[in-house]
Amino acid sequence: MSRPRSLLPVAALVGLLLLSGCAGLFGGGSVPDEQLDEAPAGDDDYDWTAETDVHIVVTENARFRAVYRINRSAQDSVQLFRRDPFGGRSPIPVSALRYRYPNGTVVNGTEFDARGGGVEWVDGSIYTRIADESHTRLVRVETDGSAERVFEAQGRDRAMVGFDVADYGATAVTVLSEPESGTDLYAVDVTDLDAAAEPDSLRRLTSVNESLTDEFPMPEARRVEWESDGWTLDGVLYHGPDVDPDDGDHPLVVAIHGGPMSYDEPVFSFGHAALTSRGYLVFRPNYRGGTSRGREFTAELSGKWGTAEVDDIAAGVESLADRGWVDPDRVFGHGFSYGGIAQGFLVTQEPDLFTAAAPEHGIYDLRSAFGTDDTHVWLEAEFGLPWEDPEAYASSTAMLDAGNIETPLLVMAGGEDWRCPPSQSEQLYVAARKQGVDAELVVYPDEHHNIGDPDRAIHRLEKILGWYETHDPAIEAAD
C-alpha cells in the first residue's frame, strides 16, 4: 500500500548540508580553492623511477589532492605533495605533472578515476576510493602496483563518501550515502572488506537525518541507460516511493552535475526529496566530459563545450519520454555551475527541450569570462588565449546563439562568485528579455560559488520550485 504523498517543506533544510559541493572545475564549494604546497624536494631533484617505490597520485576536481610515495620494502607511505585549503598559491612541480591524470588515481601506471581523499595503509596494503563506472567504491593496492576492487557489499545503490581505518588496523569506518536513509557512518571489520555479501560486522553508527527521513518520504533511485553518438550512457532517476515511472506522463526535472569533470550516482539529497515529494521525477545524466569512465570519456568535452553534453542530455530525456515515463511538455532544467553552463547551451541549441529552466552560477560567454573569473589558467590550457584562438572561445559561447532562446529562465548567481561571475548571469538574463522571453534574475549578495546562508538557501529552493510551478502547463490547466 502506498502512503499519501507528503510535501517536504523547504524550511526543513535548516541545519542540513544543502550543497555538498559539485565536483569539477565548475562545481559548488563552501571553502576557498585548495592550493598545492610546493614539493619538499626540488622539481628536478626527486627520483620518480626508484624501483623500491610505488607512486599514488590522488586528484579531485581535476586538480591534485596529494601525491604519495609508497615504499615497498619499508611498507610505509610519505605524502610528497598536498593541498592546503588556506595556504598561499605554489606552483605544481613539473615532475608531478608527468603523472597527472584528470580526476584520477595513478597506481604505478594504472589509471583509475577518483573522488579524491587519501590512502589508508593496512597490513602491507593500501586502500583508497575510486570512481568506477559512475560508482564511488573502494580499491586495495598492493606494493607491487596491482589493484583489486573490494567491498562488494556496498552495492551500486549507495555511494562511499569517505573511508578511514583505525590506527590498530582492525576496524574501518566508511561514510555511505543512500537516497532513502541518509548519509551516515558505518563500521566494518577490515577482514570483511572482501566479503561479497553484506557482512555481520557492518553496522550503522549514526542516523543524522532520522527526524527527516521518518516524517517525510525519501526518493527511491534507479540507474538508467541510453544511447548517444555511439556511447552507452548512464544516469540516475529519482522518484517518490509512491510513484511508478511506468505510469507515465510524469513531470521531469533534469538535474545536471557540475564540473564537468564529475559524475552522479545514487545519494541522499534534500533537494531531490523536495522535488520528488512534489511529484517530479529527477533525472541526473552522466554526460560525456564527466569522469569515472576513463580518459577518452572525459576528453570528449575538452575544448568543445556545448557539444557532447548537449547531445547526451537531450538523448537521455528523449529516452525517458520514449519509455512513456515522462510528459515531454513538462521537462524542467536544473543545474549549478557547469550544470548552469550546460543549460545555457541546451536552451540555445535545443529550445524545445525544457518547459522552463533554472541555470545557476554559470558562464554563458567564454570570451568575456576570460580574466574576470578565477579560471583563466584553466581556460588557457583548454582553449588557448581568446585573442589567439577566438574561434575556440566563440564556438563554446552560448550567448552567440541567444537569438534561439524561447525557454523561460530563472537565472541565479552569487554576488561574490569568482568562479562564474554574476555578470555572466546578467548577460543571459538580458538576452532572454531582449527575446521577449519570461526571465528573472536573482543575485545573492556576498555569496560565492555556493549559497551558504540558510535563509538564502531556503529562498533559492523556493524560487526554483515556484518557477517550475509557474510555467507548468498542467498546473496552468488546472487553474
Side-chain angles (χ1 to χ4, degrees):
M1 177 182 297
S2 63
R3 53 179 169 177
R5 181 181 301 147
S6 178
L7 269 63
L8 180 59
V10 175
L13 66 78
V14 174
L16 298 177
L17 182 64
L18 176 64
L19 294 176
S20 60
C22 307
L25 175 66
F26 293 99
S30 57
V31 298
D33 281 347
E34 297 170 332
Q35 308 299 339
L36 188 69
D37 281 351
E38 198 165 351
D43 177 58
D44 295 321
D45 295 336
Y46 182 71
D47 181 11
W48 288 91
T49 62
E51 294 183 358
T52 58
D53 295 338
V54 174
H55 296 94
I56 296 182
V57 181
V58 179
T59 71
E60 185 175 26
N61 298 355
R63 300 183 294 273
F64 274 106
R65 173 71 61 186
V67 180
Y68 295 87
R69 180 183 66 208
I70 311 300
N71 187 288
R72 299 177 183 177
S73 56
Q75 293 193 355
D76 67 357
S77 57
V78 177
Q79 190 179 65
L80 299 179
F81 317 115
R82 65 182 176 83
R83 290 186 178 280
D84 177 6
F86 305 105
R89 180 177 296 275
S90 297
I92 297 175
V94 173
S95 51
L97 288 175
R98 299 171 194 162
Y99 288 79
R100 183 171 183 178
Y101 176 66
N103 258 52
T105 298
V106 181
V107 182
N108 211 31
T110 302
E111 296 171 348
F112 298 96
D113 283 351
R115 273 299 202 196
V119 298
E120 298 297 326
W121 188 280
V122 181
D123 294 333
S125 300
I126 303 119
Y127 290 86
T128 189
R129 291 181 297 131
I130 67 167
D132 188 24
E133 299 286 338
S134 309
H135 179 43
T136 308
R137 61 174 305 167
L138 198 62
V139 65
R140 180 174 58 231
V141 184
E142 305 299 340
T143 54
D144 62 2
S146 61
E148 179 184 8
R149 295 167 176 84
V150 295
F151 197 42
E152 296 289 345
Q154 175 191 343
R156 287 182 56 81
D157 297 326
R158 54 186 174 181
M160 181 177 287
V161 182
F163 180 80
D164 201 357
V165 177
D167 289 341
Y168 56 88
T171 302
V173 175
T174 182
V175 182
L176 297 178
S177 183
E178 300 180 80
E180 296 178 71
S181 61
T183 300
D184 288 290
L185 287 168
Y186 291 76
V188 63
D189 292 350
V190 170
T191 54
D192 286 335
L193 289 175
D194 285 317
E198 190 166 299
D200 292 337
S201 67
L202 182 65
R203 52 205 183 276
R204 185 173 178 172
L205 303 179
T206 64
S207 297
V208 175
N209 291 309
E210 186 175 33
S211 61
L212 188 73
T213 57
D214 283 351
E215 183 175 356
F216 300 100
M218 295 294 109
E220 297 177 1
R222 65 175 70 180
R223 292 180 181 267
V224 294
E225 292 186 346
W226 69 97
E227 302 294 323
S228 178
D229 196 24
W231 291 80
T232 298
L233 303 176
D234 71 278
V236 183
L237 186 74
Y238 296 87
H239 58 86
D242 58 341
V243 171
D244 184 353
D246 288 321
D247 290 343
D249 287 339
H250 299 290
L252 178 71
V253 172
V254 183
I256 306 166
H257 69 67
M261 285 178 282
S262 183
Y263 60 93
D264 277 311
E265 58 187 320
V267 294
F268 174 76
S269 165
F270 182 92
H272 296 159
L275 289 162
T276 58
S277 71
R278 288 161 172 80
Y280 296 100
L281 305 186
V282 178
F283 175 46
R284 301 206 65 110
N286 286 316
Y287 52 88
R288 282 174 289 164
T291 55
S292 84
R293 298 185 60 175
R295 184 191 303 268
E296 182 183 358
F297 187 82
T298 300
E300 283 281 302
L301 202 56
S302 180
K304 299 176 291 186
W305 294 5
T307 57
E309 82 278 43
V310 173
D311 294 340
D312 294 349
I313 295 167
V317 173
E318 182 180 2
S319 173
L320 298 182
D322 288 345
R323 300 176 203 200
W325 295 358
V326 170
D327 183 346
D329 294 326
R330 302 177 68 198
V331 177
F332 303 92
H334 180 59
F336 189 101
S337 196
Y338 201 88
I341 295 171
Q343 286 181 82
F345 291 121
L346 285 161
V347 300
T348 54
Q349 297 182 34
E350 299 281 348
D352 297 327
L353 182 66
F354 294 142
T355 308
E360 301 181 79
H361 297 242
I363 286 178
Y364 312 105
D365 189 330
L366 209 57
R367 304 163 306 169
S368 62
F370 187 87
T372 66
D373 62 9
D374 65 359
T375 59
H376 61 90
V377 173
W378 179 287
L379 293 179
E380 181 180 357
E382 188 165 342
F383 295 94
L385 295 171
W387 53 90
E388 293 179 354
D389 198 349
E391 287 302 316
Y393 281 77
S395 63
S396 292
T397 289
M399 280 292 298
L400 293 179
D401 295 315
N404 298 329
I405 296 176
E406 301 173 2
T407 308
L409 296 180
L410 172 64
V411 188
M412 309 181 84
E416 298 295 326
D417 189 347
W418 306 316
R419 181 61 42 83
C420 298
S423 58
Q424 292 287 313
S425 295
E426 293 168 0
Q427 289 183 62
L428 183 64
Y429 163 73
V430 170
R433 292 298 298 268
K434 291 290 186 181
Q435 287 297 108
V437 174
D438 187 16
E440 186 172 339
L441 175 67
V442 178
V443 179
Y444 292 101
D446 304 320
E447 295 288 354
H448 298 267
H449 201 53
N450 71 329
I451 302 298
D453 178 84
D455 289 336
R456 290 172 176 172
I458 292 171
H459 180 269
R460 164 191 172 266
L461 194 49
E462 287 177 337
K463 289 292 294 184
I464 293 171
L465 292 170
W467 191 253
Y468 296 161
E469 292 174 2
T470 297
H471 296 282
D472 190 334
I475 294 177
E476 292 176 359
D479 293 341

